[in-house]
Amino acid sequence: MILEMKVPSPGESIKEVEIATWLVKDGDYVEKDQAIAEVDSDKATLELPAEASGVITLKAEEGDAVAVGAVVCLIDTAAAKPSGSAPAPVAEAPKAEEKKVEAPKVAPAPAATYAAQAPSPAARKILDEKNIQPSDVVGTGKDGRITKEDAVNAVPSMGTPTGGSRGTERIKLSMLRRKVAERLVAAKNDTAMLTTFNEVNMTPINNLRNEYKDAFKAKHAGVGLGYMSFFTKAVTRALQLYPDVNSMMDGDYKVAYDFCDISIAVSGPKGLMVPVVRNAENLTFRGVEAEIKRLAIKARDGQITVDDMTGGTFTITNGGVFGSMLSTPIINPPQSGILGMHNIIERPIAVNGKVEIHPMMYVALSYDHRIIDGRESVGFLVAVKEALENPVELLCDNNPKKAFEL
């Protein structure tokens, strides 16, 4: 029996996918549920599992865009499994043969030629002052001798290609990367995006983490007490104080939300992913850290799904893990706001009239000015700063042990 495998729908509104990589070769024997391909949609990269065991015949090439529901391969379920065979290994794309480019060989010039190029004493002095080698100058004197005039007119060489690599490579962007690019351009063109900045003294959070992080990790099965839970809690508090930042434009209407679904930017093998922490306003510190860890592992292992990244009312991105000191993050449409975290640097600041050194972080809020006014944007960022600089009172209700469930 020949089974036609069709492209399943990876999510609502997705009409087309792209074959990113075939994990098997034409004619391989595959087992049911074995991953046979990676397909890119405009939202995620997903694995395509075999629907039955048998010998596979590929009907699409890597890089092909295929409609949802189209046949991408055939599986002959009546074919016998080869004796002692194992699941087909990942097929490697053939490597293009590299052509070595050799610099043209130059025949050595006769000794007389080099002798003729010898400059006169006056020319030698000028060339030395210009730091020019006689071999770089064409002499116009008798038998090619370099004259004083030649030396005066000589120009230092700026260098020429010497046979080093100058190759280029044209690589088609994945469907996911093309969609990201399209959304980023749309965010810049279709919103009135502004960014406001502030700075946060991280000493209070560092003190809390240093006091409780070991007990927190021991109590909660290896879940660490990181910075993201403090920032997520501070953001959800600020969103409830300034609900316009937690709303979106829909034509002539403003869509407001009474919940906080926080998109957290995490790094995965296919680039930056933005899974969503649902109802973050109801989660404890442990709940936030556990959910972020779960989503980060799925992104790292390439198991993130479209549902994991669908929705979100506000985004947090942490460029500080890559060393960024300050940036203007781009809004994640259709959301209206995004908070950018940055690296922590010890800097001198004024405290009660005295100069002290503290770990400081710049924070940035990019927002859509069509729906969020300056008062709300600045007030929101100040509320985030206040919560982070006074976490015991504003984030832990004056009881860190209870807040950390210890």
Side-chain angles (χ1 to χ4, degrees):
M1 174 182 174
I2 303 297
L3 172 69
E4 292 184 337
M5 268 199 60
K6 300 179 180 179
V7 178
S9 175
E12 185 179 355
S13 79
I14 298 177
K15 306 298 183 184
E16 187 180 66
V17 299
E18 187 175 281
I19 304 297
T21 307
W22 281 111
L23 303 178
V24 295
K25 298 189 295 292
D26 197 53
D28 280 349
Y29 187 90
V30 299
E31 301 283 356
K32 183 179 180 181
D33 296 327
Q34 175 187 341
I36 59 173
E38 288 183 350
V39 296
D40 283 342
S41 72
D42 59 10
K43 295 184 177 179
T45 297
L46 307 171
E47 287 189 344
L48 186 66
E51 296 177 5
S53 298
V55 173
I56 192 167
T57 301
L58 308 183
K59 291 296 183 181
E61 301 289 337
E62 290 185 359
D64 285 355
V66 293
V68 170
V71 175
V72 289
C73 66
L74 306 175
I75 299 179
D76 183 358
T77 59
K81 181 178 181 180
S83 177
S85 66
V90 175
E92 294 186 1
K95 296 182 179 178
E97 182 179 350
E98 297 181 359
K99 296 183 179 179
K100 295 184 179 179
V101 179
E102 296 184 0
K105 296 182 179 180
V106 180
T113 302
Y114 290 108
Q117 289 176 340
S120 67
R124 164 69 73 179
K125 182 179 179 181
I126 295 173
L127 293 178
D128 288 344
E129 290 174 352
K130 291 184 174 183
N131 196 27
I132 300 176
Q133 296 297 320
S135 58
D136 294 334
V137 181
V138 177
T140 61
K142 185 178 179 181
D143 296 328
R145 188 175 181 83
I146 298 173
T147 66
K148 181 179 178 180
E149 185 178 358
D150 294 332
V152 170
N153 295 330
V155 177
S157 172
M158 300 304 293
T160 57
T162 57
S165 175
R166 294 174 60 80
T168 60
E169 186 178 8
R170 185 179 176 88
I171 303 173
K172 185 178 181 180
L173 296 177
S174 69
M175 182 177 287
L176 175 60
R177 177 55 61 183
R178 296 199 302 270
K179 188 63 177 180
V180 168
E182 178 184 319
R183 286 166 60 86
L184 292 178
V185 172
K188 293 287 287 185
N189 293 339
D190 299 340
T191 66
M193 194 178 81
L194 292 178
T195 305
T196 184
F197 303 92
N198 215 314
E199 62 180 358
V200 176
N201 185 345
M202 299 295 289
T203 298
I205 289 179
N206 284 349
N207 291 341
L208 264 181
R209 291 184 68 242
N210 290 337
E211 183 176 355
Y212 292 104
K213 65 181 181 181
D214 291 339
F216 187 95
K217 191 170 185 177
K219 178 68 180 293
H220 301 304
V223 175
L225 181 60
Y227 290 113
M228 286 305 301
S229 54
F230 288 95
F231 274 82
T232 302
K233 299 284 285 183
V235 162
T236 57
R237 172 182 177 272
L239 288 175
Q240 291 169 330
L241 293 174
Y242 297 93
D244 278 351
V245 185
N246 199 44
S247 59
M248 301 180 190
M249 288 281 292
D250 183 14
D252 293 333
Y253 293 86
K254 176 179 77 173
V255 181
Y257 301 93
D258 63 358
F259 56 87
C260 301
D261 282 358
I262 307 299
S263 303
I264 306 289
V266 298
S267 183
K270 297 292 183 178
L272 203 63
M273 304 289 181
V274 194
V276 181
V277 177
R278 313 286 178 184
N279 285 105
E281 76 280 6
N282 296 330
L283 296 178
T284 62
F285 281 87
R286 180 196 62 80
V288 172
E289 293 289 357
E291 182 64 1
I292 292 176
K293 180 179 180 180
R294 182 185 72 85
L295 293 170
I297 290 174
K298 290 186 71 174
R300 180 197 66 194
D301 295 342
Q303 302 298 318
I304 205 78
T305 67
V306 173
D307 289 341
D308 290 327
M309 296 187 290
T310 300
T313 61
F314 186 88
T315 295
I316 301 175
T317 181
N318 184 6
V321 297
F322 305 111
S324 172
M325 181 180 180
L326 191 61
S327 67
T328 55
I330 298 178
I331 295 170
N332 180 19
Q335 298 173 14
S336 298
I338 179 172
L339 179 75
M341 300 167 56
H342 299 90
N343 61 357
I344 300 172
I345 299 292
E346 287 194 342
R347 290 191 284 109
I349 62 172
V351 179
N352 298 324
K354 296 181 180 180
V355 176
E356 297 182 5
I357 295 177
H358 285 269
M360 304 296 295
M361 176 192 288
Y362 289 118
V363 288
L365 172 71
S366 292
Y367 62 98
D368 190 346
H369 205 2
R370 297 177 303 167
I371 195 170
I372 303 170
D373 291 331
R375 184 184 72 86
E376 282 74 22
S377 62
V378 174
F380 171 89
L381 198 56
V382 169
V384 170
K385 171 184 170 70
E386 290 173 345
L388 295 172
E389 293 186 340
N390 192 6
V392 173
E393 177 183 351
L394 299 181
L395 300 181
C396 300
D397 197 23
N398 289 310
N399 192 341
K401 286 189 174 180
K402 182 179 179 181
F404 298 150
E405 301 175 76
L406 301 177

